[in-house]
Amino acid sequence: MVDLTVDGAARGPSVYLETFGCQMNELDSELVRGHLKALGYGFIDDRDAADIVLFNTCSVRAQAENKVLSRIGRLRVEKQEGRSLIIGVIGCLAEREGESMLKRLPEVDLLCGPGELDRLPMLLDNVLKGVAVEMADRAALQGSTSRRSATLSAAEDSLELLDLSRAFEPEAASSGGRSAYVRITRGCNKFCTYCVVPNTRGAEVHRPPDAIVDECRALADKGVIEVTLLGQTVNHYLYVHGAAVDAGGAEVPQVGPGLAALRKGAGGWAGRRVTTFAHLLERIHDEVPEIQRLRFVTSYPRDFGDDVLDVMARCERICRYLHVPAQSGSDRILGLMNRGYTVGQYLEFVDRVLDRLPDASIAGDIIVGFPTETEDDFQETVDLVRRVPFKNNFIFKYSPRPGTTAIKRLPDDVPEALKRSRCNELLAIQAQVSAQVHAGQVGREVPVFVEKVTDVEPTSGGGGGVILGWEQNQAAKGAVQCSGRTPGDLITVFDAPSQASGEALVGKIISVFVESSAPRLLRGRMVACPSKVSLG
Ligand code: SAH
Ligand code: SF4
Ligand code: F3S
């Protein structure tokens, strides 16, 4: 049992929370932190001093899981040696493994899936009070229930309350508290054959547009100038008004109407008002003008209408940046992945984007070594990467995931060494493509949202970094290096005259003249830009 007294007086439990995985998890961690803080929990950065260690986990690849499991292994030893500690596993791994994890890893005290995070305080309370006797007292998981019906369970409605009760803390947020995530859609209905996300995050559920706009408004009121909208396939966002309301008549989250309805457009909803992704973007842009940068991830290469591109073209504060994973350049592999598009359709989409938004920046994800991938299939992926001006691609080696269709139907037959060599080959080609994209910015003046003062001096070659000590850096240059991003998400570094002036720029948008480039970054000098700098 954790002792929660100091000199006989009660104290709040201290929590160490570590987050793995995607932006969705980062947002979940922020919400969990806010929720628990409001209940008297304290958050600390020192894992060794915490009463409670929470891991917000990712299950997308085996490697992501292994990282957490080794952390848990270390804490198991400490517990065996007598440390009183509560270990909680929350997020996608908890959901994927389910209650069997509590049996397999007895040092884990509680499990909470990403769809049940509003119940985390109850679980913690049970464990702290020592009343967690039954599994159900220590585990909150959706199981497969969320897939059974088209109506929302009560759990999902209360999950919405967690988003609605968001207490954004600028001090705890990145980029000087000026950047924030806003969820528009939970879950995923796509079922790509390799992917655990539909199992761990459940069915696609869209939040009411008013709730989203209100959240953006509230964030802007707290000083946020960059908002990134989150969903697994953001362009599938669709809200049918009047279809889901609570007892008081207020709109509530709604299960996705399905792709067929989406493809029919508003025509599929005779007489009903709908909010599409394009409408939603436009509303946020127009109704919350304080948001200087509106971004969204992740886009799906199908069902991305011209309506969205037109809104992006019209609204200057929507970043012309698309993260739109291709996954493979082989139609045969795309078919086995159940992606629902061909390489030709992907390229048509890219053409459509660049036609309307010539300065758009495109990023993606690729999986190499998917079952049955031949050298020819892989070379088609290489061709795709050479053809599209990707500013970057995250390249992953296929990892068979329990519970997916691919693991059940397709043997993981590409040897690890071959996956690795394909991954390296593709990384090298992507580096060339990235270098070209970045070189295209040299000589331009770009607006940069400053994220941090950094003492990492990037090398001119590979985009890696040589870490210089702070004093050494100071002495070498007499200035500090700042880093930030362009609207197209290109990392940009420049010097500020002093530490104080660098820190004062964090969270602001300034103009930088790009003098040179590397495969993964731009280097430039600050151009005086008082009107933007004085923001806030
Ligand atoms: N919803 C997003 C992706 C979410 S997962 C989309 O569809 O684009 C993030 C990325 O992880 C995926 O784009 C994919 O490239 C990679 N990924 C997912 N499952 C994987 C697996 N089993 N093995 C390797 N990479 C995987
Ligand atoms: Fe996974 Fe596919 Fe859904 Fe993306 S769209 S989360 S890859 S199932
Ligand atoms: Fe990982 Fe879950 Fe995100 S599996 S990528 S944390 S949705």
Side-chain angles (χ1 to χ4, degrees):
M1 276 286 276
V2 173
D3 178 16
L4 292 177
T5 54
V6 178
D7 300 333
R11 65 175 177 90
S14 63
V15 184
Y16 172 86
L17 168 61
E18 189 170 357
T19 307
F20 300 82
C22 63
Q23 292 116 321
M24 212 59 95
N25 261 16
E26 287 174 37
L27 175 55
D28 285 342
S29 283
E30 183 196 319
L31 297 175
V32 159
R33 188 179 290 114
H35 195 185
L36 291 178
K37 269 187 163 177
L39 295 169
Y41 290 80
F43 279 75
I44 59 173
D45 295 329
D46 181 3
R47 188 165 65 200
D48 297 337
D51 303 313
I52 299 164
V53 171
L54 295 178
F55 293 116
N56 192 3
T57 59
C58 174
S59 204
V60 80
R61 284 170 292 277
Q63 209 189 2
E65 293 188 349
N66 292 340
K67 245 193 257 176
V68 179
L69 294 172
S70 81
R71 298 271 209 290
I72 295 173
R74 232 175 295 159
L75 292 177
R76 167 177 50 229
V77 175
E78 292 181 24
K79 274 181 119 168
Q80 282 163 352
E81 288 169 357
R83 176 171 175 195
S84 53
L85 173 70
I86 291 169
I87 302 177
V89 176
I90 66 177
C92 290
L93 173 59
E95 186 64 50
R96 189 189 72 63
E97 279 229 4
E99 288 180 359
S100 67
M101 193 176 189
L102 291 178
K103 298 195 187 105
R104 192 166 68 81
L105 301 173
E107 65 276 15
V108 172
D109 297 283
L110 68 90
L111 288 182
C112 188
E116 305 285 323
L117 290 173
D118 54 302
R119 290 166 65 193
L120 180 60
M122 184 255 317
L123 299 175
L124 277 169
D125 210 46
N126 288 346
V127 176
L128 280 166
K129 290 189 180 134
V131 297
V133 190
E134 307 289 331
M135 281 290 184
D137 298 325
R138 313 197 274 140
L141 304 163
Q142 264 188 338
S144 51
T145 49
S146 71
R147 292 254 161 232
R148 287 204 197 116
S149 77
T151 50
L152 279 185
S153 64
E156 279 160 315
D157 276 338
S158 50
L159 192 59
E160 176 66 10
L161 293 178
L162 193 58
D163 280 73
L164 292 176
S165 68
R166 181 174 193 177
F168 181 76
E169 292 179 52
E171 322 77 59
S174 60
S175 304
R178 302 303 195 102
S179 186
Y181 295 121
V182 170
R183 191 178 340 255
I184 65 170
T185 301
R186 304 172 199 286
C188 183
N189 278 359
K190 274 299 303 161
F191 289 102
C192 302
T193 53
Y194 51 80
C195 186
V196 287
V197 175
N199 300 337
T200 62
R201 297 256 169 193
E204 188 180 278
V205 172
H206 303 294
R207 301 185 61 208
D210 284 348
I212 296 167
V213 175
D214 287 351
E215 192 170 329
C216 291
R217 166 88 269 145
L219 289 165
D221 289 345
K222 290 198 170 172
V224 167
I225 60 169
E226 179 181 70
V227 163
T228 304
L229 306 177
L230 298 184
Q232 295 299 349
T233 58
V234 281
N235 45 310
H236 289 162
Y237 180 85
L238 185 66
Y239 195 89
V240 182
H241 295 274
V245 288
D246 66 13
E251 292 186 328
V252 295
Q254 193 173 85
V255 172
L259 288 175
L262 184 86
R263 284 171 192 155
K264 272 192 225 151
W269 300 98
R272 286 242 168 108
R273 190 164 65 87
V274 298
T275 294
T276 62
F277 182 55
H279 295 146
L280 180 69
L281 279 178
E282 193 168 33
R283 265 196 72 181
I284 300 171
H285 178 271
D286 293 351
E287 293 179 32
V288 197
E290 295 89 340
I291 296 172
Q292 299 285 316
R293 287 191 176 184
L294 183 57
R295 303 180 174 285
F296 49 87
V297 285
T298 305
S299 298
Y300 197 77
R302 262 201 87 170
D303 315 301
F304 198 110
D306 287 342
D307 55 344
V308 182
L309 297 175
D310 290 340
V311 166
M312 290 174 77
R314 185 185 78 71
C315 300
E316 56 165 7
R317 282 172 279 103
I318 301 178
C319 294
R320 288 145 163 70
Y321 167 73
L322 294 174
H323 184 100
V324 53
Q327 310 296 5
S328 171
S330 154
D331 284 342
R332 193 181 67 82
I333 297 292
L334 287 173
L336 289 176
M337 288 176 163
N338 189 31
R339 289 289 286 183
Y341 54 85
T342 60
V343 180
Q345 287 169 322
Y346 186 87
L347 290 170
E348 268 165 33
F349 168 63
V350 169
D351 284 345
R352 217 153 35 86
V353 170
L354 295 176
D355 188 44
R356 283 186 163 67
L357 307 165
D359 55 347
S361 176
I362 299 174
D365 300 347
I366 300 274
I367 297 175
V368 295
F370 188 79
T372 78
E373 186 187 69
T374 62
E375 189 56 32
D376 285 349
D377 292 316
F378 174 65
Q379 286 307 323
E380 289 187 291
T381 301
V382 169
D383 290 344
L384 178 70
V385 170
R386 284 196 200 281
R387 258 180 93 169
V388 177
F390 286 114
K391 75 126 186 141
N392 76 290
N393 254 303
F394 294 100
I395 299 166
F396 303 109
K397 291 179 288 180
Y398 170 67
S399 169
R401 307 310 299 133
T404 60
T405 306
I407 201 174
K408 288 177 205 149
R409 305 224 178 120
L410 302 164
D412 179 21
D413 59 359
V414 179
E416 178 61 26
L418 193 53
K419 284 183 189 168
R420 196 178 321 125
S421 71
R422 285 180 184 167
C423 183
N424 289 339
E425 183 178 339
L426 206 53
L427 281 169
I429 290 158
Q430 179 58 53
Q432 293 168 8
V433 175
S434 298
Q436 273 171 17
V437 170
H438 286 76
Q441 299 294 314
V442 175
R444 293 197 190 169
E445 203 174 299
V446 293
V448 173
F449 176 73
V450 185
E451 289 171 344
K452 57 185 176 230
V453 173
T454 143
D455 55 357
V456 177
E457 170 72 345
T459 55
S460 53
V466 177
I467 314 257
L468 292 181
W470 170 245
E471 284 87 13
Q472 215 179 331
N473 191 31
Q474 278 283 70
K477 302 201 292 174
V480 301
Q481 184 179 272
C482 300
S483 109
R485 287 169 196 265
T486 67
D489 208 44
L490 303 184
I491 297 171
T492 308
V493 299
F494 61 94
D495 284 346
S498 68
Q499 174 80 10
S501 62
E503 272 163 16
L505 291 173
V506 171
K508 305 214 163 90
I509 296 173
I510 63 152
S511 219
V512 170
F513 178 78
V514 181
E515 294 177 315
S516 66
S517 70
R520 281 191 237 155
L521 95 159
L522 305 175
R523 263 191 230 93
R525 70 180 142 75
M526 257 167 80
V527 178
C529 182
S531 64
K532 289 268 168 78
V533 172
S534 67
L535 266 173

